[in-house]
């Protein structure tokens, strides 16, 4: 059999030829770069100037698997409720508290925490994914986040009020033996951060600054036979009074708006900086019906009989005490809630979600079973009824 022979070629001569790439003309390269920059600019403008549309895109992705009805609602939560029930949204989990029980449901409607109670009057304060359930005049307090119970606590005195702040920090006003009132500040683990005891003035409510460095307590005292309200500000590192601000009217509620303390009184919204400087939004003869402090950079108020004519006045307000926008309301308002850039107003016949300029973002007509609304910063809203709640996805 003839043996086959293989010959090695000349590697230098027979090496494969490389295909020379064509360079992109400079003109086309510039045009391509300009197109990319234009697209990036459009995306940036879309995000920065039209955050409402951007939030809609986020919702469509986050709730892609949600089984929505024709109105855009998802029936997520079922619970045992009654006329005493209080509600709070804890980063997608729904907190339901009544005089008889606490129930926490996750974003799929499953119960992640439940306990029976025997309270005279249950109350809830929630902010930034944390919530506190407590009994007004009692000593028991339950600290929760979206995953369940963080800590059950027993106070050393009777609880007047609790205000939840950023990052789980909260302030508790107590009636303590030997003092008129006291304020205790805790972190998100329920660990004590600060204690202040007042022997001369009654403290009505208190709040922690957004940066966690200050505590402000609303105080009531008498001067020449009349009651005077003030906001006393303390650094959490000292018992010495840092600043003292005179307030207009008696304080109903405390919180923070855009890094500034906000005291809700019967006559005005009082915005107080850490140095005691006060900016006031006067109700001008109106009577405060509802207030929302959850908006990132604005507060919302609903005033009855504003000026004259018996009209109900809805307004958003900045920390300079100036109206951002306002409108007259004809329908009965059952509830309102602010979060992020949005304000949800639950009317007797519909739900309207506004932006801070009170421009309508979305409207839901069928709300007959809802009695509470919880606005979320992504533009969605929880509609809570007696025994069930739905998530509205505009």
């Amino acid at each position: 059999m003839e043996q086959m022979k293989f010959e090695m070629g000349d590697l230098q001569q027979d090496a494969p030829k490389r295909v020379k790439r064509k360079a992109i003309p400079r003109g086309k390269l510039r045009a391509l770069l300009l197109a990319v920059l234009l697209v990036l600019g459009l995306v940036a403008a879309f995000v920065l100037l039209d955050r409402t549309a951007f939030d809609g895109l986020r919702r469509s992705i986050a709730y892609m698997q949600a089984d929505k009805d024709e109105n855009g609602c998802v029936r997520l939560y079922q619970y045992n409720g009654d006329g005493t029930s209080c509600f709070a949204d804890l980063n997608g989990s729904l907190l339901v508290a009544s005089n008889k029980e606490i129930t926490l449901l996750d974003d799929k409607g499953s119960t992640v925490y439940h306990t029976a109670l025997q309270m005279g009057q249950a109350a809830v304060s929630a902010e930034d994914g944390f919530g506190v359930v407590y009994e007004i005049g009692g000593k028991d307090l339950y600290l929760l986040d979206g995953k369940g119970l963080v800590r059950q606590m027993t106070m050393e005195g009777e609880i007047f009020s609790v205000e939840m702040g950023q990052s789980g920090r909260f302030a508790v006003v107590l009636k303590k033996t030997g003092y008129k009132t006291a304020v205790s500040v805790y972190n998100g683990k329920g660990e004590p951060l600060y204690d202040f005891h007042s022997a001369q003035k009654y403290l009505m409510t208190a709040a922690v600054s957004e940066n966690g460095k200050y505590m402000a307590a609303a105080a009531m005292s008498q001067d020449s036979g009349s009651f005077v309200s003030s906001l006393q500000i303390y650094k959490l590192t000292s018992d010495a009074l840092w600043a003292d601000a005179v307030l207009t009217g008696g304080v109903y509620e405390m919180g923070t708006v855009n890094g500034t303390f906000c005291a809700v009184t019967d006559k005005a919204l009082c915005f107080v900086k850490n140095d005691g400087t006060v900016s006031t939004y006067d109700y001008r003869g109106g009577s405060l019906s509802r207030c929302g402090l959850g908006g990132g950079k604005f507060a919302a108020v609903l005033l009855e009989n504003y000026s004259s004519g018996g009209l109900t006045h809805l307004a958003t307000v900045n920390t300079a005490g100036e109206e951002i926008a306002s409108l007259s309301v004809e329908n009965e308002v059952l509830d309102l809630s602010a979060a992020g850039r949005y304000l949800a107003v639950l009317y007797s016949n519909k739900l309207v979600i506004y932006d801070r300029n009170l421009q309508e973002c979305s409207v839901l007509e069928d709300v007959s079973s809802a009695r509470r609304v919880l606005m979320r910063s992504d533009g969605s809203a929880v509609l809570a009824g007696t025994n069930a709640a739905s998530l509205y996805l505009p």
Side-chain angles (χ1 to χ4, degrees), residues 30 36 97 109 138 147 200 215 217 226 236 309 316 324 349-350 386:
R30 290 196 190 98
V36 171
K147 298 179 181 179
Q200 298 179 348
M215 180 274 292
S226 60
L236 296 191
T316 52
I324 301 170
N349 61 338
K350 62 182 177 180
T386 303

Side-chain angles (χ1 to χ4, degrees), residues 41 65 121 134 162 192 198 229 231 271 273 343 353 365 381 393:
Q65 303 298 324
Q121 185 177 356
Y134 63 100
V162 181
S198 177
S229 296
L231 197 67
F271 299 95
K273 294 182 180 180
L343 171 67
I353 296 178
E365 297 291 346
L393 300 170

Side-chain angles (χ1 to χ4, degrees), residues 59 63 66-75 363-364 380-381 383 390-394:
R59 288 194 304 272
Y63 302 105
D67 186 14
K68 296 185 288 187
D69 62 19
E70 65 276 7
N71 296 318
C73 291
V74 183
R75 189 178 179 87
V363 179
L364 177 64
S380 62
L383 289 165
S390 299
L391 178 63
Y392 173 51
L393 300 170

Side-chain angles (χ1 to χ4, degrees), residues 324-343:
I324 301 170
S326 64
L327 56 84
S328 296
V329 174
E330 297 180 356
N331 296 319
E332 178 187 5
V333 175
L334 302 181
D335 195 19
L336 65 79
S337 175
R341 295 178 298 275
Y342 302 98
L343 171 67

